[in-house]
Amino acid sequence: MICVQSAPFDLGDIANRFAVAQAGAGAIVTFSGVVRGDGGLLALEIEHYPAMTLPAITDMVDGARARFGLLDAWVIHRYGRLTVGEMIMMVATSAPHRKDAFAGAEYLMDYLKSRAPFWKKEHHRDGAAWVAAKDSDEALLARWG
Amino acid sequence: MITVVYFAWLRERIGTGREEIETQAKTVAQLVAELSAQDSYHAAAFADLRAVRVAVDQVLCDFDTPIAAAKEVAFFPPMTGG
């Protein structure tokens, strides 16, 4: 399941639904990204490219499943205006063993960070600025070859 | 006719998220040159192409990618998802 949505999601509910759907999995990993309150951040505005987002994430999920032998992988990613403490996104992966479930989740996170068409704008009391991509994120992506 | 879409600060700098244009450009780079010559807003947005990424028909590609058969070209900064 891949969802690109503005609405909040219930991590516990999704994690449970994912878990019960994974017959045969010995390992399930979930990761969720949260809006940090660094430097007086008031809100995070997330823009995306609707026509490209779903196909791009589908390719990433297919890549992760093939590479790590995942049994399944779900991705939820939000867009719109989010406030501090809100969950931005989550990934869930399942595999026969934990190593592949963790690696699959990391792979998906690295790709979502740098190759899914989302852009974040930080709103502060004194104005707003687009978040610049980090070289370190590209380096993380490069390790997957 | 080709649809050109912009996101994030490129959209803000150009002043629109979407435009339909007639173009003779054969590659993304030629399209960028045409757009940059159009007005100062486009020129400012494309001033430093190292800060710009491009997708042709929703697939990430390079500036030398042909666009003869393309329906939509998108320009945006490096992505910051996750």
Side-chain angles (χ1 to χ4, degrees), chain A residues 15-16 18-23 25-30 92-98 101-102:
Chain A
N16 275 322
F18 183 76
V20 298
Q22 306 310 311
I28 289 171
V29 166
T30 63
T93 58
S94 68
H97 303 286
R98 73 171 187 271
F102 273 115

Side-chain angles (χ1 to χ4, degrees), chain A residues 87-134:
Chain A
M87 263 176 274
I88 304 172
M89 52 79 60
M90 68 168 287
V91 302
T93 58
S94 68
H97 303 286
R98 73 171 187 271
K99 193 163 170 281
D100 289 325
F102 273 115
E106 281 212 82
Y107 173 99
L108 281 172
M109 282 312 306
D110 289 346
Y111 272 90
L112 286 164
K113 194 106 203 156
S114 304
R115 291 292 182 273
F118 292 96
W119 300 276
K120 295 191 184 113
K121 192 178 198 179
E122 292 179 341
H123 289 265
H124 293 90
R125 194 182 302 273
D126 54 353
W130 290 99
V131 175
K134 296 193 197 85

Side-chain angles (χ1 to χ4, degrees), chain A residues 23-143:
Chain A
I28 289 171
V29 166
T30 63
F31 170 88
S32 42
V34 181
V35 181
R36 280 192 316 271
D38 295 2
L41 183 83
L42 296 177
L44 197 60
E45 181 186 335
I46 303 175
E47 178 172 330
H48 78 122
Y49 179 6
M52 180 174 170
T53 313
L54 203 56
I57 297 176
T58 301
D59 281 351
M60 293 168 198
V61 167
D62 290 348
R65 290 179 72 136
R67 180 162 184 158
F68 302 102
L70 301 181
L71 297 170
D72 202 1
W74 288 4
V75 174
I76 299 176
H77 202 304
R78 295 177 63 195
Y79 59 88
R81 195 177 174 93
L82 282 68
T83 54
V84 175
E86 282 194 74
M87 263 176 274
I88 304 172
M89 52 79 60
M90 68 168 287
V91 302
T93 58
S94 68
H97 303 286
R98 73 171 187 271
K99 193 163 170 281
D100 289 325
F102 273 115
E106 281 212 82
Y107 173 99
L108 281 172
M109 282 312 306
D110 289 346
Y111 272 90
L112 286 164
K113 194 106 203 156
S114 304
R115 291 292 182 273
F118 292 96
W119 300 276
K120 295 191 184 113
K121 192 178 198 179
E122 292 179 341
H123 289 265
H124 293 90
R125 194 182 302 273
D126 54 353
W130 290 99
V131 175
K134 296 193 197 85
D135 289 343
S136 57
D137 288 333
E138 279 298 314
L140 284 172
L141 197 57
R143 69 186 159 146

Side-chain angles (χ1 to χ4, degrees), chain A residues 4-17:
Chain A
V4 180
Q5 61 188 52
S6 60
F9 58 87
D10 181 333
L11 175 63
D13 177 51
I14 304 284
N16 275 322
R17 280 166 47 203

